């Protein structure tokens, strides 16, 4: 099974952590740190697997991808195939790319819930339940649309149309850079469901 | 937030609610100050706000607070106690509002811990409701998905009750073939087999045969997970037909990989299975284009179908493709991994790929390097060990420090395995060890040092080369600055002292051991160096005396010169150092004969100059050994004094001979390895009453037995030896302390001569058997010595504490203890071994008894003796004595009734550490029945 999924920035900050076996909250930070140290020592252009017997117990490996400023890390045991896991990391990254249009670290930082939604569509309890990135994106859109509908029952705005704009990283980046108040409003609008408009 | 309910007074105010920070606000505030301090203060501020908000009556405020808390605890490791997070999460599970519900489920599945399990039963009903298909709401499948996620979360896995209650609720979802339900069912079964298996196993098995590929894939994954070790795969054998069907018909690589994994676990259980699956597996192997599936097929064939040659050769073909994938390090890594799975039957295949593997040792990827090293180690046998180990060691010199260390460690472990089973050419191995020690950043110094000593002990034929290698290490002043090498240098010093007879140039060795940079060594290693010098000088003197046996004239010459030197130093105390420095010039550089009198004079002067200052060393080990060495040298000179007093030449010469010979006997006995369990094999004599002190011994024996993996343990210098070396200080202090000490050492150092009568109230273990086993032991001994010389390899692992021998001061017990204890004898004759040792050492004991008696005559605290010792005091040079008066005063004050005269005697006689040793030995050899009468004797001698 898959033991854990992590997204760690190249500065060592965790951006997404999901453990499928119980890990003591106190121990999680140590795990992230040791994984990060392991990965940061590895040069470019080497294999994507690292044995993690010392960190996650005997027989465990991790597969990672280093993209831009983040590491995507999947930890798995000997019930999984190494190359299949490598494909799965690719599926995850592709899915995020579809969801966020050229995903960057900021998208991951600011979309805690959505990231978990994507992951939950792909893996349940350490088992892979979906490997097609189209399917995952469809389910995620469905859930996000549902959320917006629930949060704004009386509004006349077409949220479904607005949603790609709001979730697009370009839009977010632009308003984040230029208009801090507006971005605040925009995020309020999405997350807490105020009828601002 | 849009809640219209008026907030109760206890709840957060409306202002709180209105201006509640969203999760995005929180993320931004955390990012505003990236420093650790700024971040932790932002987290603390946010936490205090959250703790207020989470008590809000309206669900929206609570949900946002919960979301923030989940975020903080998940990614910022905020110290969130499980309880405050769990309760609102469970509260919100019941919310009719789907987004809130979603947040609550996320919080619960991320953060619930076994500590908050007491709350999980509160969620059972809600889970049951969300799982039930009767919920006709449009978002029903979302709800059930959420519930399944929580059911499969790690927290739920720790709550078997929850799984037991909800197992039935999974059935409708399983019959629909939902992959989520299948994965959750696997978790439920794993969490609570007793409740899960009866309800869920059959529906899950039915899913395997489902026409929907998603369902069958999920079911295969589930069974793969359930059959994973440490679980017993045998209950899954009945699924073989369904799995076989899947193997032959499925188009999904995911499903095929999982099925192959299950079959790999089932094949060893059912012999017919392998024959059935080998064809489909080979077909997959031949036609699949997916690397993941190909690799899984290779793995299955190599691990589960090794008997099917056609399949294996097909797999090896694919494996070589992997190895040849120069552009993909992943495939190369997996190829090496698969190569490691090949059984010993296909060792030739691994050997064929040796070039690839050797090349991989230099790969940029640590994984590939490690795997290659592992394979290299697997390939080692006695025919190629020289090639491979030599190649690895030279490779280690070029690789990065970490991997170099791994390599050296692996080589040491492989070559040292089973008492150097693989090594046949020990000259080569010894020089390899020396090469390893010289490689940069070598952290294996301890192991290299251990093996150097061990090889010396076990392999007689390797000793000349060993001494040669040790010499090359010792004479290199550059190595002395490298603290990683200290254990190696220590071992080198030990072997060159111990096997000095193999050395070509003892004089050079003494120079190396006393070179100025040895001051960089830690004290424990310096002590070994000094001890080695003592052995070398003893050896050289003995050689000299043997050579000149009968020709007293020349002998006189040496000691005349020594005496002259002594006179010089006495006369011009202030100029001792420069005078000696001038004198200490090797008479002629071509003079290499260690037994020439010039060499000996040179060495003695060198020792006096360099070791002399160390007798004031604060470190007891160095102090003690330096004093031993200086004492020996001064004794040589002191003998010269007799001549001046017109003692006859013959007598003096005899004394010198006697002295040197008896010192030589100290080191003449060969150290041998002793079987690690030797102690255990000795059966307890029935009449032995174990005193309570022996309980401690039991602990120690247990500790010693703890690492049985190493067949030999070489007693480290630190533990027991320290105690032995402390002896003089302790014994001089108080006779009762001495008795106590003897008692302990009699107990702890089993091989020492504790049955010499100093064991006080302890019974003589072997007395009844003494005469009986006398001869047998000698025979045994000769039998065991034989194979060492003949077969080079000593298979039987033996070790013994060599503490006493290393000390050199306690030579009686050293002789007692240097006896081979063969394994067979131990098991066969049991308690007779100790007896045998007694028997064997009896003659030498007598001899040494005599010699110490004679020495005792010489040193007895009679009129002449005290005079003589005072002379020595004067001779030795004032600095040495005066500096030590502090010590002596301290020692004498410990004694209760020492008057001034006694104290003065004590002062004089205790200046030479080794002489105290002699006194003790003599005293011990006087087989005294009990302690009480012994005490005054000690005082006579020591005070």
């Amino acid at each position: 099974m898959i033991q854990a999924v992590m997204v760690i920035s190249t500065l060592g900050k965790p951006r997404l952590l999901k453990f499928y076996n119980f890990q003591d909250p106190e121990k999680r930070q140590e795990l992230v740190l040791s994984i990060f140290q392991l990965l940061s020592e590895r040069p470019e252009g080497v294999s994507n697997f690292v044995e993690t017997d010392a960190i996650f117990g005997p027989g465990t490996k991790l597969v990672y991808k280093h993209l831009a400023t983040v590491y995507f890390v999947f930890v798995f045991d000997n019930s999984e195939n190494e190359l299949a896991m490598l494909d799965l990391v690719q599926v995850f990254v592709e899915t995020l790319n579809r969801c966020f249009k050229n995903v960057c670290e900021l998208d991951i930082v600011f979309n805690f819930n959505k990231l978990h939604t994507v992951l939950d569509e792909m893996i349940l309890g350490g088992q892979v339940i979906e490997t097609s990135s189209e399917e995952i994106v469809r389910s995620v859109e469905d859930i996000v649309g549902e959320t917006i509908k629930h949060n704004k029952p009386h509004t006349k705005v077409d949220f479904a149309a607005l949603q790609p704009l709001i979730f697009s990283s370009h839009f977010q980046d632009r308003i984040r850079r230029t208009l801090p108040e507006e971005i605040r409003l925009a995020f309020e609008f999405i997350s807490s469901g105020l009828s601002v408009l | 937030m849009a809640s219209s309910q008026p907030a109760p007074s206890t709840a957060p105010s409306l202002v709180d609610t209105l201006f509640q920070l969203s999760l995005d606000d929180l993320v931004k505030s955390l990012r505003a100050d990236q420093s650790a301090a700024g971040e932790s203060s932002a987290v603390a501020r946010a936490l205090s706000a959250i703790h207020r908000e989470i008590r809000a009556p309206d669900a929206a405020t609570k949900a946002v607070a919960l979301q923030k808390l989940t975020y903080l605890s998940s990614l910022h490791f905020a110290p969130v106690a499980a309880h405050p997070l769990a309760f609102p999460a469970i509260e919100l599970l019941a919310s009719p509002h789907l987004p809130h519900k979603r947040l609550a489920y996320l919080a619960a599945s991320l953060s619930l811990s076994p500590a908050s399990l007491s709350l999980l039963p509160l969620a059972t009903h809600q889970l049951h409701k969300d799982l039930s298909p009767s919920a006709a709401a449009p978002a029903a499948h979302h709800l059930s998905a959420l519930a399944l996620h929580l059911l499969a979360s790690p927290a739920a896995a720790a709550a078997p009750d929850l799984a037991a209650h909800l197992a039935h609720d999974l059935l409708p979802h399983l019959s629909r073939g939902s992959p989520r339900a299948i994965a959750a069912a696997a978790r439920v079964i794993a969490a609570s087999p007793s409740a899960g298996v009866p309800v869920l196993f059959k529906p899950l098995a039915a899913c395997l045969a489902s026409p929907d590929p998603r369902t069958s894939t999920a079911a295969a994954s589930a069974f793969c997970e359930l059959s994973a070790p440490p679980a017993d795969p045998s209950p899954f054998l009945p699924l073989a037909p369904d799995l076989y069907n899947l193997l032959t018909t499925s188009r999904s690589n995911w499903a095929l990989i999982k099925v192959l994994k299950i079959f790999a676990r089932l094949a060893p259980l059912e012999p017919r299975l392998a024959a059935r699956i080998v064809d489909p597996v080979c077909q997959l192997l031949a036609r699949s284009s997916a690397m993941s599936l190909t690799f899984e097929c290779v793995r299955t064939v190599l691990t589960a179908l090794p008997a099917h040659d056609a399949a294996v050769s097909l797999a090896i073909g694919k494996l070589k493709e992997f190895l040849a994938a120069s552009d993909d390090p992943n495939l190369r890594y997996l190829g090496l991994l698969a190569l490691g799975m090949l059984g010993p039957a296909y060792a030739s295949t691994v050997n064929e790929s040796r070039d690839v593997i050797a090349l991989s040792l230099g790969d940029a990827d640590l994984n590939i390097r490690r795997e290659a090293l592992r394979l290299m180690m697997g390939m080692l046998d006695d025919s190629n060990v020289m090639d491979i180990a030599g190649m690895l060691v030279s490779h280690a010199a070029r690789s990065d420090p970490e991997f170099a260390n791994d390599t050296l460690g692996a080589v040491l472990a492989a070559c040292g395995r089973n008492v150097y089973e693989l090594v046949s050419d020990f000259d080569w191995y010894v020089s390899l060890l020396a090469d390893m020690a010289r490689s940069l950043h070598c952290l294996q110094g301890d192991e290299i040092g251990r093996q150097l000593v061990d090889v010396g002990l076990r392999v007689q034929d390797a000793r000349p080369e060993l001494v040669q290698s040790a010499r090359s290490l010792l004479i290199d002043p550059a190595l002395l600055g490298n603290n990683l090498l200290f254990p190696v240098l220590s071992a080198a010093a030990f072997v060159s002292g111990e096997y000095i007879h193999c050395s070509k140039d003892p004089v050079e060795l003494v120079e190396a051991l006393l070179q100025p940079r040895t001051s960089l060594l830690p004290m424990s290693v310096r002590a070994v160096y000094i001890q080695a010098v003592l052995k070398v000088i003893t050896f050289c003197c003995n050689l000299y005396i043997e050579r000149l046996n009968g020709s007293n004239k020349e002998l006189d010459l040496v000691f005349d010169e020594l005496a002259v030197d002594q006179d010089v130093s006495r006369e011009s105390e202030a100029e001792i150092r420069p005078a000696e420095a001038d004198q200490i010039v090797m008479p002629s550089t071509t003079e290499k004969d260690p037994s020439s009198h010039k060499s000996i004079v040179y060495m003695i002067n060198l020792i006096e100059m360099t070791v002399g200052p160390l007798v004031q060393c604060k470190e007891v080990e160095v102090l003690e050994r330096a004093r031993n060495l200086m004492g020996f040298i001064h004794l040589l000179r002191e003998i010269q004094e007799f001549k001046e007093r017109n003692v006859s030449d013959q007598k003096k010469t005899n004394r010198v001979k006697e002295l040197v010979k008896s010192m030589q006997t100290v080191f003449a006995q060969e150290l041998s390895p002793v079987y690690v369990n030797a102690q255990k094999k000795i059966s307890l004599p029935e009449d032995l009453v174990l005193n309570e002190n022996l309980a401690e011994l039991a602990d120690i024996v247990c500790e010693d037995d703890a690492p049985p993996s190493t067949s030999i343990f070489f007693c480290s210098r630190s533990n027991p030896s320290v105690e032995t070396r402390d002896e003089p200080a302790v014994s001089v202090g108080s006779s009762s302390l001495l008795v106590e000490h003897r008692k302990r050492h009699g107990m702890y150092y089993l091989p020492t001569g504790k049955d010499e009568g100093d064991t006080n109230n302890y019974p003589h273990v072997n007395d009844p058997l003494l005469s009986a086993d006398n001869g047998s032991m000698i025979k045994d001994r000769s039998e065991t010595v034989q194979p060492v010389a003949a077969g080079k390899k000593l298979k039987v692992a033996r070790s013994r504490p060599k503490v006493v021998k290393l000390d050199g001061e306690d030579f009686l017990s050293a002789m007692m203890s240097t006896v081979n204890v063969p394994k067979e004898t131990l098991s066969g004759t049991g308690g007779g071994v100790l007896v045998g040792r007694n028997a064997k050492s009896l003659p030498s004991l007598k001899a040494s008894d005599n010699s110490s008696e004679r020495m005792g005559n010489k040193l007895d605290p009679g009129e002449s003796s005290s005079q003589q010792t005072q002379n020595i005091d004067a001779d030795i040079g004032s600095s040495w004595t005066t500096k030590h008066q502090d010590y002596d005063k301290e020692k004498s004050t410990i004694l209760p009734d020492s008057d001034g005269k006694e104290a003065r005697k004590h002062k004089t006689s205790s200046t030479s550490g080794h002489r105290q040793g002699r006194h003790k030995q003599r005293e011990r050899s006087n087989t005294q029945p009990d302690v009480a009468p012994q005490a005054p004797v000690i005082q006579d001698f020591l005070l």
Side-chain angles (χ1 to χ4, degrees):
Chain A
M1 70 181 275
I2 297 167
Q3 307 265 349
V5 174
M6 303 179 179
V7 180
I8 305 176
S9 82
T10 41
L11 297 174
K13 298 228 177 207
R15 297 303 184 202
L16 169 74
L17 296 180
K18 180 107 184 175
F19 297 98
Y20 293 101
N21 273 340
F22 183 73
Q23 300 287 351
D24 217 340
E26 287 86 50
K27 221 186 126 202
R28 288 178 193 169
Q29 193 160 10
E30 260 173 60
L31 288 175
V32 172
L33 194 67
S34 45
I35 295 280
F36 173 69
Q37 277 169 352
L38 212 61
L39 296 184
S40 56
E41 282 165 9
R42 292 180 67 78
E44 285 293 322
V46 297
S47 65
N48 299 81
F49 306 108
V50 185
E51 286 170 27
T52 53
D53 301 43
I55 305 172
F56 279 92
T60 56
K61 285 198 188 78
L62 67 76
V63 57
Y64 73 100
K65 262 189 193 255
H66 181 190
L67 298 172
T69 58
V70 284
Y71 293 108
F72 290 87
V73 183
F74 281 42
V75 183
F76 56 94
D77 63 13
N78 52 20
S79 289
E80 302 291 342
N81 180 290
E82 289 84 352
L83 293 169
M85 282 298 116
L86 190 60
D87 289 345
L88 197 67
V89 179
Q90 187 61 34
V91 169
F92 185 53
V93 176
E94 264 175 33
T95 311
L96 293 184
N97 220 23
R98 282 164 190 255
C99 286
F100 295 112
K101 303 273 188 304
N102 293 328
V103 63
C104 72
E105 195 185 344
L106 278 179
D107 297 317
I108 297 170
V109 170
F110 280 97
N111 291 283
F112 178 72
N113 284 32
K114 189 166 179 181
L115 230 61
H116 274 285
T117 310
V118 172
L119 196 57
D120 283 350
E121 287 301 314
M122 199 163 82
I123 301 169
L124 187 145
Q127 303 289 323
V128 179
I129 50 174
E130 183 56 71
T131 54
S132 146
S133 106
E134 287 98 18
E135 281 294 322
I136 298 170
V137 171
R138 198 173 304 144
S139 315
V140 171
E141 308 272 301
D142 194 15
I143 289 167
V144 172
E146 189 93 13
T147 308
I148 292 172
K149 195 169 83 198
H150 270 269
N151 278 344
K152 319 276 177 297
H154 305 301
T155 179
K156 290 179 186 112
V157 179
D158 182 1
F159 286 101
L162 199 57
Q163 176 212 328
L165 173 70
I166 290 165
F167 278 118
S168 87
S169 55
H170 301 296
F171 174 73
Q172 289 180 348
D173 283 345
R174 201 179 314 124
I175 59 176
R176 210 170 281 143
R177 273 197 302 274
T178 54
L179 299 166
E181 299 87 353
E182 272 187 39
I183 176 197
R184 161 116 198 259
L185 292 178
F187 283 119
E188 288 259 347
F189 156 72
I190 297 161
S191 57
S192 62
L194 280 175
S195 44
V196 180
L197 301 178
Chain B
M1 159 102 79
S3 158
S4 55
Q5 278 179 308
S9 54
T10 53
S13 67
L14 188 63
V15 178
D16 278 338
T17 312
L18 272 173
F19 293 101
Q20 184 185 26
L21 292 178
S22 69
L23 176 59
D24 287 338
D25 297 330
L26 174 64
V27 173
K28 270 183 280 177
S29 74
L30 288 171
R31 288 171 64 80
D33 188 352
Q34 297 272 16
S35 72
E39 196 180 287
S40 63
S41 73
V43 169
R45 256 182 288 130
L47 276 180
S48 69
I50 288 166
H51 282 302
R52 207 167 53 240
E53 290 161 11
I54 210 159
R55 293 199 305 269
D58 72 298
T61 312
K62 197 190 279 284
V64 172
L66 182 64
Q67 188 186 19
K68 290 191 286 185
L69 196 57
T70 311
Y71 174 83
L72 287 179
S73 76
S74 169
L75 292 185
H76 288 271
F77 313 108
V80 180
H83 198 83
L85 184 57
F87 195 77
I90 287 168
E91 224 179 351
L92 278 176
L93 286 184
S95 164
H97 192 52
L98 189 57
H100 292 171
K101 223 177 175 57
R102 201 174 281 285
L103 289 177
Y105 269 111
L106 179 64
S109 67
L110 278 184
S111 319
L112 280 186
S113 66
S116 55
L117 280 184
S118 55
L119 289 171
L120 212 49
L122 296 175
T124 311
H125 175 66
Q126 190 56 43
L127 281 170
H128 175 71
K129 221 169 111 185
D130 288 342
L131 279 175
S132 72
S134 63
H141 68 283
H142 285 323
L143 285 180
S144 60
L146 288 172
L148 289 169
H149 271 287
L150 182 57
L151 201 55
S153 74
D161 288 355
L162 189 73
H165 285 123
L166 295 171
H168 283 281
D169 294 308
L170 285 176
L171 291 177
H173 297 280
L174 281 181
S175 63
R176 266 197 303 118
S178 145
R180 275 178 217 275
I182 292 169
R187 290 294 290 236
V188 168
I189 291 177
S192 155
S194 56
V197 171
V199 182
L200 296 172
F201 195 88
K202 270 197 178 159
L204 208 53
C207 289
L208 269 184
S210 161
D212 182 355
R214 294 177 70 229
T215 306
S216 55
T217 306
S221 296
F223 282 115
C224 178
E225 180 57 37
L226 288 173
S227 66
D232 174 21
S234 53
F236 303 96
L237 263 180
L239 301 174
D242 282 336
L243 290 169
Y244 182 80
N245 197 29
L246 210 54
L247 182 67
T248 48
T249 58
S250 175
R251 317 289 300 164
S252 156
N253 288 338
W254 281 91
L256 289 170
I257 287 171
K258 296 291 182 180
V259 169
L260 285 170
K261 281 196 181 285
I262 302 173
F263 272 129
R265 287 167 191 154
L266 294 182
L269 302 175
E270 172 56 64
R272 287 169 299 171
L273 204 55
R276 283 301 299 279
I277 62 170
V278 68
D279 278 342
V281 171
C282 286
Q283 277 173 23
L284 284 178
L285 198 53
R287 68 177 154 81
S288 171
S289 59
M291 281 302 182
S292 53
L293 184 58
T294 308
F295 179 64
E296 200 56 52
C297 289
V298 170
R299 176 151 55 193
T300 308
V301 169
L302 296 186
T303 55
L305 310 169
H308 295 80
D309 290 336
V312 173
S313 57
L314 189 61
I316 289 174
K318 286 284 175 188
L319 187 156
K320 286 189 173 158
E321 283 176 28
F322 276 52
L323 284 178
S326 55
D327 55 335
D328 191 342
N330 287 329
L331 292 188
R332 269 183 293 141
Y333 167 65
L334 293 176
L336 291 171
L337 212 59
L339 211 50
M341 296 171 198
L342 274 172
Y346 293 91
S348 59
T349 311
V350 184
N351 264 324
E352 281 168 28
S353 313
R354 196 167 131 186
D355 292 343
V356 183
I357 299 170
L359 208 62
S360 305
L361 281 173
D363 202 279
D365 192 345
L366 186 62
N367 286 333
I368 293 181
R369 289 201 302 262
R370 283 222 178 103
E371 213 49 55
L373 179 61
R374 215 174 285 174
L375 284 168
M376 278 287 180
M377 287 299 129
M379 258 190 269
L380 272 187
D381 60 38
D382 44 8
S383 63
N384 60 15
V385 63
M386 287 171 77
D387 289 353
I388 290 182
M391 186 267 283
L392 286 175
V393 170
S394 64
H395 196 278
R398 301 194 298 271
S399 44
D400 64 302
E402 192 193 355
F403 185 66
N405 258 319
D406 288 353
T407 310
L408 295 183
V411 171
L412 282 170
C415 292
R417 196 194 309 133
N418 220 349
V419 199
Y420 315 102
E421 175 175 63
L422 292 176
V423 183
S424 51
D425 182 351
F426 275 92
D427 288 355
W428 162 80
Y429 187 56
V430 165
S431 55
L432 185 77
L433 283 175
D435 286 348
M436 284 194 216
R438 284 167 180 278
S439 70
L440 280 174
H441 311 296
C442 169
L443 296 176
Q444 304 286 345
D446 285 320
E447 178 64 12
I448 294 174
R450 190 193 72 80
Q451 291 202 2
L452 280 174
V453 174
D454 196 36
V455 168
L457 292 179
R458 289 170 189 275
V459 192
Q460 216 168 27
D461 293 4
R463 285 173 193 168
E465 178 61 31
L466 188 64
V467 171
Q468 200 54 34
S469 297
R471 172 195 162 272
S472 71
L473 290 171
L474 290 173
I475 59 170
D476 190 346
L479 299 182
L480 285 164
N482 183 352
N483 56 357
L484 298 173
L485 277 181
F486 290 158
V488 181
L489 291 176
S490 169
F494 172 78
V495 294
S496 34
E498 190 62 31
Y499 309 116
I500 181 66
H501 53 274
C502 303
S503 170
K504 294 194 183 99
D505 190 353
V507 180
E508 182 192 51
L509 196 60
V510 169
E511 286 173 333
L513 289 170
L514 295 175
Q515 61 183 294
R517 274 173 71 92
T518 51
S519 59
L520 297 170
L521 292 171
M523 285 306 175
S524 57
V525 180
R526 285 201 95 173
V528 180
Y529 268 58
I530 293 168
Q531 189 68 14
V533 172
L534 176 59
K535 289 177 186 169
V536 176
I537 190 75
T538 306
F539 171 78
C540 291
C541 286
N542 189 52
L543 207 60
Y544 180 68
I545 284 172
E546 274 176 8
R547 257 177 118 196
L548 302 178
N549 212 4
S551 160
N552 294 332
K553 192 170 152 267
E554 283 192 51
L555 185 64
D556 291 345
L557 192 63
V558 175
F559 293 102
D560 283 349
E561 281 191 24
L562 283 176
V564 168
D565 180 32
Q566 192 68 42
D567 291 339
V568 168
S569 58
R570 186 169 37 168
E571 281 161 16
S572 54
E573 281 170 10
E575 297 164 45
I576 286 179
R577 294 292 171 257
E580 278 185 349
D582 287 342
Q583 274 183 330
I584 298 177
V585 174
M586 190 64 195
S588 102
T589 44
T590 52
E591 179 75 85
K592 286 291 177 191
D593 184 2
S595 58
S596 74
H597 72 271
K598 278 181 177 175
S599 303
I600 290 188
V601 172
Y602 166 72
M603 280 191 280
I604 285 179
N605 286 334
L606 184 66
I607 290 167
E608 186 146 68
M609 185 182 79
T610 50
V611 180
L614 288 175
V615 297
Q616 297 156 14
C617 179
K618 293 229 165 43
E619 179 66 38
V620 282
E621 298 200 20
V622 176
L623 169 83
E624 183 60 20
R625 289 165 193 234
R627 292 179 108 196
N628 286 347
L629 180 53
M630 293 306 284
F632 178 60
I633 286 168
H634 281 286
L635 217 52
L636 290 177
R637 292 193 162 161
E638 168 202 319
I639 287 162
Q640 181 57 31
E641 293 292 300
F642 279 87
K643 191 191 174 197
E644 288 175 0
R645 282 159 204 284
N646 295 323
V647 182
S648 82
D649 277 2
Q650 191 56 44
K651 195 177 172 191
K652 184 213 71 174
T653 312
N654 283 344
R655 283 241 166 79
V656 172
K657 280 183 183 170
E658 198 64 55
L659 172 69
V660 172
K661 280 246 179 318
S662 55
M663 275 307 283
Q664 179 66 15
T665 48
V666 170
F667 302 123
Q669 284 277 358
E670 197 170 283
L671 293 172
S672 330
V674 172
Y675 189 54
V676 111
N677 290 329
Q679 175 83 61
K680 246 190 225 164
K681 304 255 176 180
I682 301 168
S683 63
L684 205 64
E686 282 173 17
D687 55 339
L688 178 68
V689 183
L690 292 177
N691 284 1
E692 54 197 6
N693 289 6
L694 278 171
E696 292 175 48
L697 179 65
D699 290 343
I700 287 167
V701 169
C702 290
E703 279 167 27
D704 283 350
D705 288 349
S709 54
T710 52
S711 56
I712 165 168
F713 73 95
F714 186 72
C715 191
S716 75
R717 295 166 198 291
S718 51
N719 279 343
S721 54
V722 169
E723 287 173 23
T724 319
R725 272 178 229 114
D726 285 343
E727 255 180 33
V730 178
S731 57
V732 169
S734 146
S735 59
S736 66
L737 277 177
L738 174 79
V739 171
E740 198 59 38
H741 196 71
R742 283 274 161 258
K743 238 191 238 173
R744 290 182 54 197
H745 285 272
M747 304 319 300
Y748 289 157
Y749 303 148
L750 185 76
T752 65
K754 65 165 180 168
D755 33 14
E756 277 314 295
D758 59 281
T759 46
N760 310 320
N761 46 353
Y762 294 96
H764 289 233
V765 180
N766 306 295
D767 269 353
L769 300 164
L770 185 59
S771 53
D773 282 333
N774 206 336
S776 75
M777 184 59 205
I778 296 171
K779 208 181 86 197
D780 284 334
R781 188 166 177 236
S782 60
E783 276 169 7
T784 48
V785 172
Q786 203 79 35
V788 186
K792 265 190 174 184
K793 277 192 266 181
L794 190 59
K795 292 281 182 178
V796 186
R798 273 163 284 179
S799 84
R800 55 162 300 281
K802 293 156 199 73
V803 187
V804 186
K805 166 114 192 203
L806 289 175
D807 248 8
E809 53 152 49
D810 206 348
F811 76 80
L812 263 193
S813 32
M815 288 180 195
M816 303 296 300
S817 57
T818 52
V819 175
N820 270 326
V821 183
K823 190 179 175 185
E824 295 80 12
T825 318
L826 286 169
S827 48
T829 60
V833 173
L834 285 176
V835 181
R837 184 177 300 129
N838 293 343
K840 175 61 196 164
S841 50
L842 270 178
S844 55
L845 183 67
K846 259 178 205 151
S848 53
D849 229 328
N850 289 340
S851 63
S852 57
E853 202 69 54
R854 248 170 279 148
M855 259 182 280
N857 287 339
K858 199 169 55 193
L859 300 173
D860 255 344
E863 203 48 44
S864 64
S865 166
S866 67
Q867 203 180 1
Q868 169 210 338
T869 44
Q870 277 168 3
N871 283 339
I872 293 172
D873 257 8
D875 292 346
I876 281 165
S878 61
S879 65
W880 194 43
T881 320
T882 48
K883 290 274 167 69
H884 273 270
Q885 279 175 353
D886 292 349
Y887 276 104
D888 301 331
K889 272 174 200 160
E890 276 177 31
K891 285 168 188 167
S892 59
T893 50
I894 302 169
L895 292 155
D897 295 322
S898 58
D899 58 30
K901 195 186 166 194
E902 271 179 343
R904 196 172 55 81
K905 270 192 210 166
H906 163 213
K907 196 189 292 178
T908 52
S909 68
S910 64
T911 45
S912 168
H914 83 278
R915 239 179 295 140
Q916 291 166 20
R918 293 281 151 71
H919 289 315
K920 270 176 281 158
Q921 286 147 13
R922 181 164 178 272
E923 167 219 314
R924 203 183 312 165
S925 61
N926 296 340
T927 7
Q928 305 258 349
D930 57 2
V931 202
Q934 214 171 355
V937 180
I938 296 167
Q939 284 194 340
D940 272 358
F941 279 128
L942 297 178
L943 303 182

